[in-house]
Amino acid sequence: MALRDILPGKLGFGAAPLGNMFRDIPEYEALATVEAAWDDGIRYYDNAPFYGAGLAEIRMGRALAGKPREDYVISTKVGRVILDELEDVGARDQGEKAGVFAHGRANKVVNDYSHDATLRSIEGSLERLQTDRIEIVFVHDLARDFWGDQWIARFEEARTGAFRALDRLRDEGVIKAWGLGVNLVEPIETLLDLKESRPDGALLAGRYTLLDHARALQRVMPTVAAKGLGIVVGGPYSSGALVGGPNFEYAPAPPAILDKVARIKAIADRHGVSMKAAGLQFALANPAVAAVIPGASHPSRIAEDRAALDERVPADFWHELRTEGLVDPAAPLPA
């Protein structure tokens, strides 16, 4: 079943901040943020064992406990198994994401894309999320940004392990859909070329935003649309850089990105458009996109995202972005 047929709305909740991403978030604040999302009507929640070594899943499980399970959809990820054993958080090999979850739990994180590890990962997620089922499973970080030159070998491990396990679980009705959850487009291109695997879509973080979308437009988005699948866009604000934050791709934003943000913001200010509205509505204009999942670590962010989604953005704003070369000529723009 394609992702677009499962997701209950265009706006979802990205749970990475609940794992103490970049900072130590108080428990009450994390739970209140999920509650605010629920009160807003959001019914799609994305998570991963990687987020704080299970912390984000634990917090979401607590926050959603008692909610009617048939009323919402959960996606989580495989590729890591969280153990009871503790380890030095600072010594973890996490590629370009090193230190992002330094404030998370100290439980040992084992990277493993095999068939059996995939099943163990799902079992652990079910327990932490306090649920009896997970609708969507993404294979996490199977890309060069995490694995460097080893990513092809890891992809092959997943091809004969995780992919086959998830195909079977989907066919048996245990899950409804699966795909990749990555920050780069190349693994999605590779997966879509495989004949033996049958993914239902993908979660693409950071690669279909106002600041960075050209590569995704070349092949991934058209192929996904043609196959009738769906893309969940993660990180629509590019780690916060688009909305004035200091980070891009989990690190301090480089000068070229800061300059692009400033140019977009100058145009947005002239047209009375918020940067959040520009980011969310740009992503959703692509027919391949099934939902966006901005991360939130404070209840007030939920209301901001909803307002951005509903904000009226004049056509002249998009036209000026195109004229100034700030969006790819091939990028679909809101009507």
Side-chain angles (χ1 to χ4, degrees):
M1 185 181 293
L3 286 186
R4 64 176 61 261
D5 299 324
I6 300 169
L7 298 177
K10 294 291 188 181
L11 183 63
F13 182 94
L18 300 186
N20 282 351
M21 186 177 183
F22 297 123
R23 69 183 180 95
D24 191 356
I25 298 169
E27 181 79 359
Y28 74 87
E29 187 174 317
L31 300 184
T33 302
V34 180
E35 189 66 30
W38 181 271
D39 291 344
D40 179 79
I42 291 173
R43 295 296 182 266
Y44 169 44
Y45 300 87
D46 176 69
N47 222 308
F50 183 68
Y51 302 157
L55 178 60
E57 289 184 320
I58 290 170
R59 285 173 160 175
M60 182 168 286
R62 290 171 181 163
L64 293 177
K67 309 292 187 191
R69 185 60 186 87
E70 65 276 8
D71 287 357
Y72 62 94
V73 169
I74 286 179
S75 61
T76 194
K77 305 181 183 74
V78 296
R80 276 98 174 201
V81 178
I82 310 300
L83 306 182
D84 292 334
E85 177 187 347
L86 303 184
E87 66 179 354
D88 179 1
V89 175
R92 290 174 180 157
D93 180 9
Q94 298 180 329
E96 293 180 5
K97 294 182 180 179
V100 172
F101 293 103
H103 300 287
R105 300 197 307 163
N107 293 64
K108 187 171 184 178
V109 180
V110 178
N111 300 299
D112 194 333
Y113 296 97
S114 69
H115 180 283
D116 290 349
T118 296
L119 301 183
R120 290 200 306 274
S121 179
I122 291 173
E123 288 173 2
S125 291
L126 287 169
E127 182 177 347
R128 289 186 293 272
L129 289 164
Q130 299 184 41
T131 185
D132 62 350
R133 64 189 182 277
I134 293 165
E135 284 81 4
I136 305 166
V137 177
F138 295 115
V139 185
H140 204 188
D141 283 338
L142 198 57
R144 184 178 294 278
D145 62 328
F146 192 89
W147 292 108
D149 291 340
Q150 298 179 39
W151 88 268
I152 292 292
R154 285 294 189 165
F155 190 96
E156 180 63 14
E157 177 188 336
R159 184 187 69 80
T160 59
F163 297 174
R164 292 177 182 175
L166 295 173
D167 262 338
R168 178 177 61 81
L169 291 176
R170 191 264 324 281
D171 292 348
E172 292 174 352
V174 178
I175 63 175
K176 291 186 177 181
W178 74 274
L180 294 185
V182 290
N183 294 72
L184 298 175
V185 300
E186 290 81 2
I188 300 176
E189 292 180 12
T190 305
L191 176 59
L192 291 174
D193 278 341
L194 294 181
K195 289 187 170 43
E196 78 246 37
S197 299
R198 294 169 288 114
D200 304 284
L203 194 167
L204 181 58
R207 295 285 75 75
Y208 199 75
T209 72
L210 263 180
L211 298 182
D212 186 354
H213 53 268
R215 176 72 178 176
L217 278 169
Q218 290 174 13
R219 181 158 174 229
V220 166
M221 307 306 266
T223 303
V224 167
K227 289 178 177 287
L229 306 177
I231 292 285
V232 174
V233 169
Y237 307 136
S238 296
S239 295
L242 183 66
V243 291
N247 295 312
F248 176 80
E249 292 299 287
Y250 310 104
I257 289 295
L258 294 176
D259 176 67
K260 189 171 185 178
V261 171
R263 292 175 64 198
I264 294 173
K265 190 172 189 310
I267 296 171
D269 287 347
R270 281 200 298 275
H271 291 278
V273 174
S274 74
M275 292 293 275
K276 280 195 168 187
L280 292 188
Q281 294 187 31
F282 170 79
L284 285 169
N286 193 299
V289 175
V292 290
I293 50 168
S297 61
H298 191 276
S300 64
R301 303 299 186 205
I302 303 297
E304 291 174 7
D305 291 335
R306 178 62 66 184
L309 201 61
D310 295 339
E311 184 177 322
R312 184 183 178 280
V313 178
D316 286 349
F317 167 73
W318 302 113
H319 177 73
E320 190 168 348
L321 288 187
R322 182 91 83 194
T323 301
E324 293 297 318
L326 291 167
V327 293
D328 190 281
L333 297 177

